[in-house]
Amino acid sequence: MRKSRPGIGDREALFDAYPAPIKAKLLALRRLIFATARATPGVGALEETLKWGQPSYLTAETGSGSTIRIDQVKPAADQCAVYFHCQTNLVETFRELYPELSYSGNRAILLDAKQKLPEPALRHCVALALTYHRRRKAK
């Protein structure tokens, strides 16, 4: 992991501000994003920062992918989301591959904080986001 930009500050304090079930889910998503980046060839080290006040993950080293953000869905106290750039076709692709997941428009995968993460599907979606630019250049 590369050193984060100014703004992410004290990561622990940022995540501590969330209710316990949301914090646990967001930290699990954070681990999944970093693990997926490490396991996906060509992604390189991720940069963790804040965008729109949300923990965000960028492929700053390689530029291979699109930014991924995670946050609680407001005002839903029991939901969190993995956000993707809305001007990509990423969520459209995810819908075709994983119709069983819940989505918000063309920008997010929605997750219930009380349910188990759909890890295989999320890993695949995150890998597609982290390689989005690299795949588009190859076309």
Side-chain angles (χ1 to χ4, degrees), residues 39-98:
T40 305
V43 170
L46 291 186
E47 183 174 325
E48 184 174 40
T49 190
L50 284 179
K51 288 189 176 274
W52 300 282
Q54 300 167 320
S56 303
Y57 305 90
L58 295 75
T59 57
E61 183 177 57
T62 64
S64 67
S66 182
T67 299
I68 299 170
R69 297 176 290 120
I70 58 176
D71 200 1
Q72 179 177 11
V73 176
K74 300 196 175 44
D78 60 346
Q79 258 190 344
C80 58
V82 183
Y83 294 96
F84 304 91
H85 194 293
C86 63
Q87 293 180 347
T88 67
N89 66 349
L90 285 166
V91 173
E92 178 184 330
T93 301
F94 305 158
R95 268 195 177 94
E96 291 174 13
L97 294 170
Y98 303 102

Side-chain angles (χ1 to χ4, degrees), residues 7-18:
I8 194 71
D10 182 357
R11 184 175 14 268
E12 195 170 314
L14 173 70
F15 285 102
D16 282 346
Y18 291 101

